[in-house]
Amino acid sequence: MGLLKGIDPLLTADILHILRSMGHGDKLCVCDCNFPASQVATQTTSGKHVILTVSLPEALQSICSVLPLDFFEEKQAMYMGPQEGVEMPPAGLEVVAALKGAIMEGCGSDTKIEPLERFLFYDEAKSCFAVIQTMERRPYGNVILSKGCVGPDGRDLKP
C-alpha cells in the first residue's frame, strides 16, 4: 500500500473509489461498529461495505477533507437520533457533538446537520450509495452525508 501526498492515509483505495464514483445528490452512510452495516450495504446503490478501524470523528475528518457536501439541499448531513420516547444517552450526545465538529471542520460552520429518528435512519441508509463502518463504540454514532459539487475554487459549491 502506497501513500499519496495531500490525501489522508485513512482514505484507502476502496474509499476513494466510492467517493469518486458518487455523484452529486448521492448519500454516504458512515456508521458505528454496532450498525447492521453488512445487511444495509446489500441494499445500497453500490452494495459496498468498507470497514475503517478508527473512530467516527476520525473517519469523518478524513472523508470530509475530500468529499464536498450538498449545500443546495436543506441539510447536508443527518445523524441517527433516538426513537420517540427514548432519551439520547450521554455517550450519544458526546459522539453527536464530535461528528458535528468533524464535519464542520472539513465543510464549514454553516453545514446543517440534523437528527433523523432511529428507524427512519435505517431506511434512509438503505438508499445510500455505500456504507463505511467505523470502530466507533458510542451509541448513535451514525451519520449520512449528502454529496455535493466541488466549486471553481476547489471547495464545496455553495449557492
Side-chain angles (χ1 to χ4, degrees), residues 10 19 23 29 32 50-51 80 84 93 102 121 134 142 145 157 159:
L10 293 180
L19 300 179
C29 179
D32 65 27
V50 177
I51 298 172
M80 180 187 280
E84 190 175 328
L93 294 172
F121 187 96
T134 70
N142 307 295
L145 305 172
L157 184 64

Side-chain angles (χ1 to χ4, degrees), residues 58-131:
E58 289 173 297
L60 289 171
Q61 285 173 333
S62 297
I63 292 165
C64 290
S65 72
V66 297
L67 183 73
L69 296 186
D70 193 346
F71 283 88
F72 289 86
E73 292 294 328
E74 185 179 319
K75 55 188 170 274
Q76 290 73 55
M78 299 173 284
Y79 64 89
M80 180 187 280
Q83 67 267 32
E84 190 175 328
V86 175
E87 254 187 72
M88 178 75 82
L93 294 172
E94 184 182 287
V95 77
V96 166
L99 74 83
K100 286 180 176 181
I103 294 169
M104 288 182 180
E105 180 184 315
C107 301
S109 60
D110 57 340
T111 307
K112 292 180 187 73
I113 307 163
E114 297 181 4
L116 185 61
E117 186 271 337
R118 178 179 167 214
F119 295 106
L120 293 175
F121 187 96
Y122 289 128
D123 290 339
E124 188 71 19
K126 293 172 186 174
S127 72
C128 286
F129 187 83
V131 177

